[in-house]
Amino acid sequence: MTSGKLNGMTDNAFSATVPSPPTWPAAPAPDTPSAVVTALWARMQARDWSGVAALLAPDAVVDWPVSAERLPDRDAYVAVNAAYPEGWTVHEPHVIAQGSTVVSEVRVDHEEVGTHVAVSFWTVENGLITSGREYWTMPGSDPSPPWRAHHVRPL
């Protein structure tokens, strides 16, 4: 998540209302790469910033290719997410893991901005996230070109 201007609105244009967290199944202790990533999203929703930090290696690098930004370490990742204007709800992620690579897809609804979907690729080593690449987008923000209209149906 980024902070600052979104769709021409500044931070102070957002509501300070904190949404009720969704009810998720209890997350297992983060003893596998998939459990670490599941715990990351649960701690984000809980605004447990020290808990988020505890899941990241100090030198973890997270890239956001869509906005061409790099968060160079754990502290930057935690700070930018903690500063994101309130009003958002993280929904339980879909998580797939193979070895130390974990892919998560999560929907995040925001009262003012709308819905975002993030597909993230994480590397988890020795119980800590060491790197990530997150692709954040808004469903429908990339219009379907006319040439393929007869092949597709709207979601």
Side-chain angles (χ1 to χ4, degrees):
M1 296 182 167
T2 60
S3 69
K5 283 187 136 183
L6 288 173
N7 299 332
M9 300 172 70
T10 59
D11 286 351
N12 60 6
F14 290 97
S15 167
T17 305
V18 177
S20 299
T23 303
W24 294 4
D31 58 353
T32 65
S34 62
V36 169
V37 171
T38 299
L40 173 76
W41 290 113
R43 292 174 187 186
M44 292 273 249
Q45 174 57 33
R47 286 29 169 209
D48 175 6
W49 304 118
S50 61
V52 169
L55 297 172
L56 296 159
D59 59 349
V61 174
V62 178
D63 290 336
W64 288 343
V66 174
S67 58
E69 295 174 287
R70 171 167 283 175
L71 301 160
D73 56 33
R74 171 184 62 200
D75 294 342
Y77 184 79
V78 173
V80 76
N81 281 287
Y84 195 83
E86 270 303 333
W88 49 275
T89 302
V90 176
H91 297 274
E92 186 171 1
H94 180 79
V95 176
I96 300 172
Q98 183 173 13
S100 64
T101 301
V102 181
V103 178
S104 65
E105 178 186 33
V106 67
R107 188 179 95 232
V108 180
D109 294 325
H110 192 285
E111 296 170 350
E112 302 288 329
V113 180
T115 298
H116 283 82
V117 174
V119 174
S120 307
F121 296 84
W122 305 103
T123 301
V124 180
E125 298 171 344
N126 301 315
L128 295 174
I129 295 170
T130 58
S131 67
R133 196 169 56 255
E134 294 188 288
Y135 295 88
W136 286 87
T137 189
M138 294 183 79
S141 64
D142 187 12
S144 179
W147 65 265
R148 66 178 182 227
H150 66 285
H151 297 289
V152 300
R153 302 290 177 265
L155 289 177

